[in-house]
Amino acid sequence: MIQKIDGIEFKIKEPYDFGFLGEYGKVFKVFDDQDSGNICFGTDKDGQKYLSIF
């Protein structure tokens, strides 16, 4: 299925509430096609960029 956060679409097996990512800023990139099965989000908050892996 396709899910969307901050205007960025990504693939995920089932819907999930990623609203907590707002604490880390605006999502600018989603890495959803990882061999590990993890999903990674690039966020930007006040000019600082972060990478969160789940």
Side-chain angles (χ1 to χ4, degrees), residues 1-53:
M1 84 167 288
I2 301 294
Q3 191 164 328
K4 191 184 246 187
I5 187 167
D6 290 335
I8 308 293
E9 291 185 347
F10 58 96
K11 295 178 285 185
I12 193 164
K13 287 184 181 180
E14 54 188 62
Y16 189 82
D17 180 9
F18 288 103
F20 66 91
L21 287 172
E23 295 178 38
Y24 303 99
K26 183 177 179 179
V27 174
F28 65 86
K29 178 71 176 166
V30 178
F31 301 92
D32 58 347
D33 194 19
Q34 305 297 313
D35 290 338
S36 66
N38 293 338
I39 188 166
C40 307
F41 296 90
T43 58
D44 186 323
K45 184 173 184 178
D46 301 326
Q48 273 302 115
K49 296 195 183 225
Y50 301 94
L51 181 66
S52 302
I53 303 170

